[in-house]
């Protein structure tokens, strides 16, 4: 995997959000439509291509917690709004590039992750996402590799499992697709020793289908 | 699945006790005494160069001078002496060594080195080693009681391995008062050689074992326990009580997933995934094992509740729902059947509250109807077995009429006592006929209901909560058995 190899060669401890998603997408995990841009012009044309509304995120390998650092501009609806947002992000010198991203308006936020246990090896995590991940700790784990049964079973295990059903006029989450995501995450853990952790949070639900809105791949870099 | 054959460990033809002692407070005496008291089926040879005989049995100066082949050697001598004794056992052609001696890896680096030395040495002779720092082993078939405590477990079909000798032995004791019997037991000690997955694999293949119990504290990172369990749990129920916490992932992780992966949570998940029935307190282990060993696994999670009193029915229904069990509404057919037996003011619902009907016959009839109701998978029957609850021993002062009434009450109590056996026997007949567990809840203040199990093969608990928990764990196991058995290759 080229993205992974290059990051390891550089000695990076994480993949950027965009690279994380490219990596995950190459393993069949649905992610937001997005492009990395360097100039205002590129931002404007990327936004037009992806379609409004748009999110802009300041990007750089060291920028893990974008919300706290005020590096996210949400719900941009016009070319002008995108250009203004681009300029304001660039005021922060840590912002090397800007991520132009499809805005997913899902009110259901889930988390999917990969962790490594000293005894059981790679483990897949699933649960309530967004700010609730830390507050409620409503998550379940499975040891990789996961079977279809394991994946469906772990979705049933969270206390807030009702969130997966039809909800406020929105369709139920497609559990088959979600199960495939969980199985794929487990496979990544088994296949790539260099991937130490994965954190997809939030995983939003768009028309019943999961989309990784933010993602972080943490590397097990020997140069650490 | 590859597993170690431990037949000669648990059922040896001959035993040598190396370090036999005449001092009755030394383990070299106590373990030998326990083996003899347990009436081991084969010869036991005490080994000690300093004494001529022990408890009337000739002693040998070394294991190599014993005029018989030895399957199992039990060693109780101090740690520094063990290594050379292992050599002697090896030259003698011993198959298994149980090292009771402590002061090995559990006490530090020096002990760990000694442990590694004895393990490597044993392996070099093709011997397998239990312990060191074990409290010993038990086997029903050969009446083998090579144990430090003088426990004489009931014989049954449970087999247990325990990383704590004390906890494990206590489970053997608790079984005695509950009527729960064991087939094999091993205190795995430091697991220098044989580890918990070896015992698990062997018990899974062992035909005499129907249910496997374990108390675990730690699992080595290179342990095969998980993979062994995935296979073993398909064969028979494995109930594990986990004490302590495993080493956590350590470093605070950069992402949320890492930070939250408290490994006890992962351990729980892994147990669940493998099909292990995790028990969350010490009492629950033997409690649940009792139901697993005596009854078939229910086909589903639908429960009928029979009660003589409404409140207990409510409590039982609550416990069922909290454990994910379903208490379905009565079908019309069942309702009509019960109507012909019960007075008009009965509950007309599940739980079936007989509403103060005190005679035994309707209870028996209701039990039979509920057990045969094809929309339930198990029955919890409360207050059906109430030995001792009715006490009319003392005479009363008063009118002749009052005295006559007392005589009548005594007749009722006598009927209860006599019918109790009938209730229990009917319950067992129905279990065999329908394949559904019928769990009795006595509400009695006598804990263990040993005779219900040993005389009638019926599982009783004093409280509905304990009955529901046992049933819920059996339903968990059914759910696992129903999950596809996918052979995952990594």
């Amino acid at each position: 995997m080229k993205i992974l190899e290059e990051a390891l060669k550089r000695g990076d401890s994480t993949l950027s959000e965009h690279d994380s998603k490219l990596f995950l997408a190459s393993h069949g995990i649905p992610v937001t439509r997005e492009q990395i841009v360097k100039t205002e012009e590129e931002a404007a044309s990327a936004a037009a291509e992806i379609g409004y509304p748009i999110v802009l995120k300041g990007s750089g390998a060291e920028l893990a917690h974008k919300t706290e650092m005020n590096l996210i501009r949400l719900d941009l609806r016009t070319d002008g709004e995108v250009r203004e947002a681009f300029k304001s992000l660039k005021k922060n010198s840590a912002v090397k590039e800007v991520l132009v991203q499809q805005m997913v308006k899902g009110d259901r936020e889930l988390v999917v992750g990969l962790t490594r246990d000293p005894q059981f090896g790679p483990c897949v995590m699933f649960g309530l996402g967004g700010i609730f991940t830390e507050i409620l700790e409503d998550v379940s784990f499975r040891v990789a590799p996961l079977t279809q049964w394991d994946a469906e079973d772990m979705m049933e295990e969270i206390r807030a499992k009702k969130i997966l059903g039809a909800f406020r006029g929105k369709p139920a989450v497609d559990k088959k697709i979600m199960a495939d995501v969980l199985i794929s995450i487990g496979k990544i853990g088994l296949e790539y020793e260099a991937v130490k952790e994965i954190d997809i949070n939030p995983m939003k639900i768009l028309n019943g289908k999961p989309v990784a809105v933010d993602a972080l791949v943490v590397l097990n870099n020997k140069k650490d | 699945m590859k597993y170690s054959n431990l037949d000669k460990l648990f059922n040896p033809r001959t035993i040598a006790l190396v370090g036999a002692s005449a001092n009755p407070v030394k383990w070299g005496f106590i373990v030998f005494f326990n083996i003899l008291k347990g009436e081991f089926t084969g010869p036991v040879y005490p080994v000690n160069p300093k004494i001529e005989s022990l408890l009337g049995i000739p002693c040998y100066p070394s294991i190599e001078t014993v005029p018989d082949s030895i399957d199992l050697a039990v060693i109780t001598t101090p740690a520094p002496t063990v290594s050379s004794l292992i050599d002697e056992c090896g030259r003698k052609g011993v198959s298994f060594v149980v090292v009771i001696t402590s002061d090995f890896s559990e006490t530090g680096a020096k002990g760990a080195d000694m442990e590694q030395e004895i393990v490597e040495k044993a392996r070099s002779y093709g011997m397998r080693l239990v312990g060191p720092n074990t409290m010993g082993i038990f086997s029903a078939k050969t009446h083998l009681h090579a144990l430090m405590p003088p426990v004489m477990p009931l014989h049954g079909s449970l087999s247990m391995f325990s990383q704590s000798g004390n906890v494990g032995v206590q489970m053997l004791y608790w079984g005695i008062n509950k009527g729960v019997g064991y087939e094999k037991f091993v205190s795995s000690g430091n697991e220098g050689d044989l580890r918990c997955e070896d015992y698990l694999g062997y018990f899974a293949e062992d035909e005499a074992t129907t249910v496997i119990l374990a108390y675990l504290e730690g699992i080595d990172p290179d342990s095969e326990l998980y993979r062994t369990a995935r296979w073993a749990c398909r064969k028979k129920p494995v109930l594990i009580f986990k004490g302590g916490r495993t080493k956590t992932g350590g470093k605070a992780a950069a992402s949320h997933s890492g930070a939250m992966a408290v490994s006890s949570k992962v351990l729980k998940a892994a147990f669940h995934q493998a099909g292990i029935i995790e028990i969350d307190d010490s009492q629950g282990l033997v409690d649940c094992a009792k139901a697993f060993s005596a009854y078939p696994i229910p086909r589903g999670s639908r429960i009928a509740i029979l009660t003589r009193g409404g409140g207990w029915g409510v409590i039982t229904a609550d416990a069922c729902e909290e454990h994910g069990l379903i208490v379905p509404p009565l079908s019309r057919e069942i309702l009509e059947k019960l109507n012909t037996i019960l007075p008009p003011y009965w509950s007309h619902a599940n739980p079936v509250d007989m509403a103060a009907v005190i005679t035994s016959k309707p209870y028996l009839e209701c039990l039979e109807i509920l057990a045969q109701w094809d929309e339930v998978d198990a029955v919890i029957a409360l207050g059906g077995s109430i030995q001792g609850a009715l006490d009319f021993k003392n005479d009363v002062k008063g009118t002749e009429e009052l005295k006559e009434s007392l005589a009548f009450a005594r007749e009722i109590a006598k009927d209860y006592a006599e019918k109790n056996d009938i209730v229990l026997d009917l319950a067992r007949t129905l279990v065999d006929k329908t394949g559904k567990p019928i769990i009795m809840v006595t509400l009695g203040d006598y804990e263990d209901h040993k005779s219900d199990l040993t005389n009638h093969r019926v599982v009783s608990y004093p409280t509905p909560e304990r009955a529901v928990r046992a049933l819920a764990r059996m339903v968990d196991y059914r759910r696992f058995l129903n999950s596809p058995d996918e052979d995952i290759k990594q």
Side-chain angles (χ1 to χ4, degrees):
Chain A
M1 195 73 218
K2 210 172 149 209
I3 297 170
L4 212 54
E5 280 169 19
E6 285 174 0
L8 289 169
K9 230 178 268 172
R10 286 194 301 271
D12 293 350
S13 56
T14 58
L15 295 183
S16 70
E17 176 184 344
H18 185 58
D19 282 351
S20 295
K21 284 189 197 156
L22 287 176
F23 175 72
L24 294 172
S26 72
H27 291 86
I29 292 158
V31 301
T32 45
R33 293 193 302 275
E34 60 186 46
Q35 290 178 30
I36 280 281
V37 301
K38 290 202 161 101
T39 67
E40 189 187 315
E41 273 319 306
E42 284 172 6
S45 73
E49 196 180 311
I50 291 165
Y52 297 99
I54 282 289
V55 180
L56 292 197
K57 292 178 178 176
S59 177
E62 306 310 315
L63 304 176
H65 292 278
K66 300 178 194 78
T67 309
E68 289 82 341
M69 294 173 75
N70 192 28
L71 294 174
I72 301 182
R73 300 291 181 272
L74 293 170
D75 205 13
L76 308 170
R77 290 166 176 275
T78 64
D79 182 81
E81 283 179 18
V82 168
R83 287 172 187 274
E84 275 311 304
F86 182 89
K87 280 180 221 159
S88 80
L89 283 175
K90 285 295 276 185
K91 283 179 190 156
N92 184 327
S93 62
V95 175
K96 304 296 175 208
E97 298 163 324
V98 170
L99 189 57
V100 182
Q101 192 174 82
Q102 163 199 14
M103 169 119 178
V104 179
K105 285 203 169 174
D107 38 16
R108 286 179 278 187
E109 298 196 334
L110 301 168
V111 61
V112 172
L114 175 81
T115 175
R116 288 188 184 273
D117 182 85
Q119 282 158 359
F120 300 104
C123 297
V124 178
M125 184 183 91
F126 171 81
L128 269 193
I131 57 167
F132 296 112
T133 308
E134 280 162 287
I135 294 171
L136 299 177
E137 292 197 20
D138 189 7
V139 292
S140 57
F141 289 89
R142 288 293 180 275
V143 177
L146 274 68
T147 63
Q148 184 76 24
W149 165 269
D150 290 331
E152 285 171 17
D153 195 37
M154 79 186 290
M155 287 187 245
E156 285 295 309
E157 200 175 294
I158 62 168
R159 296 190 298 278
K161 64 182 173 192
K162 273 190 183 168
I163 200 172
L164 302 171
F167 181 77
R168 292 195 178 179
K170 303 271 170 62
V173 175
D174 187 326
K175 288 193 179 169
K176 175 76 183 62
I177 298 179
M178 188 57 97
D180 287 343
V181 166
L182 297 168
I183 291 167
S184 296
I185 293 289
K187 280 184 186 161
I188 292 172
L190 292 170
E191 195 176 335
Y192 302 96
E193 272 299 316
V195 174
K196 189 176 164 197
E197 286 157 18
I198 296 172
D199 192 27
I200 304 174
N201 191 5
M203 184 82 148
K204 285 199 179 183
I205 304 303
L206 186 63
N207 303 324
K209 296 185 177 68
V211 183
V213 171
D214 196 357
L216 179 67
V217 173
V218 180
L219 302 174
N220 196 0
N221 206 325
K222 302 239 158 53
K223 288 180 183 171
D224 270 1
Chain B
M1 188 83 195
K2 216 170 84 217
Y3 71 99
S4 308
N5 186 331
L6 308 179
D7 286 344
K8 276 192 178 176
L9 168 64
F10 286 101
N11 294 316
R13 188 184 65 82
T14 54
I15 307 175
L17 196 289
V18 182
S21 169
N23 182 342
V25 296
K26 291 217 162 188
W27 295 118
F29 177 87
I30 297 167
V31 175
F32 186 70
F33 172 80
N34 288 340
I35 294 172
L36 294 189
K37 184 168 168 287
E39 300 180 332
F40 174 64
T41 51
V44 191
Y45 300 100
V47 173
N48 184 336
K50 291 177 202 148
I51 52 176
E52 298 247 308
S53 74
L54 186 57
L55 299 173
I57 296 174
C59 247
Y60 294 86
S62 75
I63 192 167
E64 291 178 273
T65 58
V66 175
D68 196 351
S69 64
I70 299 294
D71 286 341
L72 172 64
V74 180
I75 297 179
T76 60
T77 59
T81 65
V82 173
S83 178
S84 66
L85 294 172
I86 294 278
D87 271 323
E88 291 179 25
C89 291
R91 289 197 296 268
K92 177 73 180 169
V94 167
S95 303
F96 288 92
V97 191
V98 172
V99 182
I100 302 275
T101 313
S102 56
D103 203 9
F104 284 95
S105 63
E106 80 279 10
T107 57
K110 192 167 156 264
D113 288 345
M114 271 199 296
E115 184 169 312
Q116 197 183 347
E117 185 191 323
I118 65 165
V119 168
E120 281 170 11
K121 204 170 254 184
R123 285 177 180 165
S124 75
Y125 289 104
M127 292 189 295
R128 301 304 304 267
L129 187 147
V130 178
N133 191 28
T134 163
M135 285 177 76
I137 63 171
F138 159 80
S139 168
K141 188 178 169 196
T142 46
H143 293 228
L144 173 60
H145 296 70
L147 292 163
M148 287 162 66
V151 57
M152 298 287 148
L154 290 185
H155 292 188
S157 64
L158 306 182
S159 286
M160 177 169 190
F161 55 96
S162 177
Q163 288 184 332
S164 156
N166 281 299
V167 172
V169 164
Q170 211 62 35
M171 297 301 150
L172 302 181
Y173 277 118
W174 287 356
I176 296 171
N177 289 332
K178 292 175 194 289
V180 174
Y182 290 83
E183 162 61 29
K184 295 180 176 72
F185 168 79
V186 57
S187 149
S188 62
N190 294 356
E191 301 188 0
D193 178 32
L194 288 169
R195 302 198 297 189
C196 46
E197 61 263 37
D198 295 301
Y199 303 118
L200 176 60
Y202 175 69
F203 291 161
E205 282 289 342
D206 178 30
E207 281 180 14
T209 298
T210 62
V211 180
I212 300 170
L213 304 190
Y215 171 75
L216 289 183
E217 280 180 2
I219 305 164
D220 290 331
D222 66 340
S223 172
E224 290 290 314
L225 184 72
Y226 176 66
R227 280 149 60 91
T228 308
R230 280 190 81 111
W231 156 80
C233 293
R234 290 276 166 196
K235 294 183 155 273
K236 51 191 82 167
V238 178
L239 279 56
I240 296 187
F241 172 39
K242 172 76 176 59
R245 280 165 185 261
T246 58
K247 285 173 232 157
T248 49
K251 298 177 215 163
S255 77
H256 299 141
S257 326
M260 293 203 10
V262 183
S263 53
S264 66
K265 228 169 181 174
V266 171
L267 186 85
K268 244 183 188 356
F271 276 13
H272 173 81
Q273 226 172 325
I276 290 167
I277 307 300
E278 197 186 359
I279 303 294
D280 47 21
D281 65 39
S282 57
Q283 186 200 43
L285 198 56
V286 184
D287 234 30
C288 293
K290 176 162 121 171
F292 271 95
S293 66
Y295 279 166
I297 305 296
R299 287 181 282 266
S301 59
R302 300 165 303 173
I303 314 296
I305 301 168
L306 176 62
T307 176
R308 290 180 189 272
W312 287 111
V314 172
I315 291 169
T316 310
D318 279 345
C320 281
E321 181 157 339
E322 281 160 9
H323 279 87
L325 303 179
I326 295 159
V327 183
L330 295 176
S331 69
R332 202 178 155 154
E333 188 198 344
I334 296 294
L335 199 76
E336 280 165 11
K337 277 189 187 168
L338 292 172
N339 270 337
T340 65
I341 298 163
L342 296 169
Y345 46 85
W346 73 282
S347 68
H348 292 82
N350 184 18
V352 174
D353 174 9
M354 295 174 62
V357 170
I358 55 172
T359 46
S360 295
K361 193 166 165 278
Y363 190 89
L364 292 166
E365 289 167 348
C366 288
L367 188 60
E368 185 153 7
I369 288 167
L370 292 178
Q372 295 192 334
W373 176 20
D374 58 12
E375 287 166 42
V376 294
D377 307 298
V379 180
I380 298 177
L382 295 104
S385 155
I386 52 170
Q387 318 139 319
L390 301 170
D391 179 2
F392 298 112
K393 282 197 283 290
N394 295 337
D395 284 327
V396 288
K397 288 175 193 156
T399 61
E400 274 311 304
E401 286 88 342
L402 181 61
K403 283 177 181 163
E404 275 170 30
S405 293
L406 178 68
F408 180 70
R410 281 173 174 158
E411 282 301 309
I412 298 265
K414 202 173 145 212
D415 175 64
Y416 259 109
E418 287 166 2
K419 293 281 170 37
N420 184 50
D421 282 358
I422 295 172
V423 169
L424 292 171
D425 287 336
L426 175 71
R428 184 66 223 192
T429 304
L430 290 170
V431 170
D432 292 333
K433 196 168 165 185
T434 63
K436 300 175 187 178
I438 299 175
I439 298 194
M440 312 301 288
V441 176
T442 60
L443 306 172
D445 192 21
Y446 49 104
E447 265 291 298
D448 297 303
H449 310 92
K450 179 175 181 170
S451 66
D452 291 0
L453 189 58
T454 53
N455 297 346
H456 304 278
R457 295 190 300 126
V458 167
V459 175
S460 304
Y461 296 102
T463 65
E465 290 88 347
R466 283 164 68 179
V468 170
R469 173 174 63 177
L471 209 42
R473 295 294 82 78
M474 290 173 99
V475 169
D476 288 346
Y477 187 57
R478 168 59 65 198
R479 195 165 168 271
F480 167 73
L481 290 177
N482 286 346
S483 72
D485 181 9
E486 293 181 43
D487 185 25
I488 302 173
K489 289 180 185 71
Q490 289 199 14

